[in-house]
Amino acid sequence: MNKLLLGCIADDFTGATDLANNLVRAGMRTLQTIGVPEGPLHAEADAVVVALKSRTVPAADAVQQSLAALRWLQAQGVQQVYFKYCSTFDSTPAGNIGPVTDALLDALHGAGQGFTIACPAFPENKRTVFKGHLFAGDVLLNESGMQNHPLTPMTDANLVRVLQQQTTRKVGLVSYEVVAQGPQAITRRLQALQAEGVQIAVLDAISNEDLMRIGPALRGMALVTAGSGIAIGLPQNWQASGALAPGQASDLLPPFEGLGAVVSGSCSVATNAQVLAFKRAGRPAFAIDPVAVAAGDDVVGSALCWAEPLLPGGPVLVYATAASQAVQAVQAQLGVAEAGALVERTLAAIASGLIGRGVRRLVVAGGETSGAVVQALGVRQMAIGAQIDPGVPWTWARTALGPGIHLALKSGNFGSEDFFLKTFEAP
Ligand code: ADP
């Protein structure tokens, strides 16, 4: 078994996949785990991303979960720890970015000690930081719609100010003039800030080149805190030291095999268009009626009977995806939470049944739907492979049902219109 180099703690599931995707693209073999694993990893890897659900839970819970992840990563002997949060810095004055950062620094360096960075920049996804201010596209974070987020309204784009409210440590800034000068200048500025008593340095970054300039300055830093973008600049450090072979294949998924299917529970605009494109291409599709499920009809059995003879002819789609009016009508009849849970349970049972009928390439649409399917299949670890569309890689996972399968988990608004078709084209 090789040595794990980088251990990541992600504050949500799709964010974890986004980070893993960037690490694979930059040359690290990466596994994602769902929650803190109970034992060792199933496969060799250079990096591991532990996916938590800690973004919007009470800060004390987030700290506890993150420390449990840290202990497991330390037991695996990782050389560097990466705390991953959202590229829109989703948090409130109560946390959870500050309290988790403090707890991780305390655990790694001793109470009140240590030094780290904070940088949510991900220029490819239009998240940039300039003079400490976070931009989403062309506008400041607090004018981007994020000021109205139901759980984590972001009303200030100044990250130094935002983070300072959440942490007992002093927050400083490495501004763009310094970042543009390259790794040595960044290192010198980080050292100067440390000498001034700063313990968390917000970094400006507006391009991928900036991420590559920042990477070497983070070499040997015990804890890095960032969005998924900073990960693009880190693998070069291990490539330079010889711990990672430059140009090594990082997508180590087994070849595709078996039958293909899509299970869709997302009702986003993008997913509705993807369902339509699949049907328009003449592919078979089965619609789930939540009201029939609630009435006790054997919808799972019907869907599986329908799918079984069609599967050898190519991928099939089972979907609850509907336009917002139809969803609202169902929600009015069944209740919002009950309708959601009922559809998730149904699609998860169908996914399990499809695996039992020989499906080995499964695409799942919807964040919550993906969570329900992954849980029903008993997936605990996923190897991350090639990117299908930005933020959505193919993965491979062992299931509790027996076989290993290829899984693509697509959150609502991700993926091009032909996503359900192109995922099954020859890789
Ligand atoms: P997204 O990533 O697009 O937000 P999710 O899977 O996270 O997708 O959320 C979609 C929610 O809508 C799930 O709880 C799902 O069960 C529910 N849902 C799907 N189809 C319907 C429908 N036809 N009527 C009511 N609720 C539905």
Side-chain angles (χ1 to χ4, degrees), residues 256-343:
F256 289 117
E257 56 168 27
L259 306 171
V262 184
V263 168
S264 179
S266 159
C267 296
S268 70
V269 173
T271 307
N272 270 287
Q274 288 155 351
V275 167
L276 200 61
F278 190 86
K279 291 202 281 188
R280 284 213 174 119
R283 299 302 316 158
F286 186 99
I288 300 293
D289 175 6
V291 176
V293 179
D297 291 4
D298 180 16
V299 173
V300 174
S302 308
L304 293 172
C305 277
W306 167 85
E308 193 159 4
L310 296 169
L311 282 166
V316 304
L317 165 67
V318 178
Y319 67 100
T321 304
S324 61
Q325 269 181 334
V327 174
Q328 280 164 19
V330 168
Q331 288 173 335
Q333 206 170 332
L334 304 177
V336 175
E338 179 52 27
L342 180 121
V343 172

Side-chain angles (χ1 to χ4, degrees), residues 175-223:
S175 69
Y176 191 70
E177 304 87 90
V178 174
V179 172
Q181 289 172 44
Q184 287 175 354
I186 300 168
T187 303
R188 279 197 301 274
R189 177 72 179 140
L190 290 175
Q191 285 165 349
L193 285 172
Q194 249 179 303
E196 290 167 22
V198 166
Q199 290 184 278
I200 309 176
V202 172
L203 287 165
D204 278 358
I206 60 172
S207 67
N208 263 6
E209 290 70 37
D210 293 335
L211 302 178
M212 295 307 282
R213 289 184 188 105
I214 290 168
L218 307 181
R219 190 170 174 170
M221 192 177 277
L223 175 71

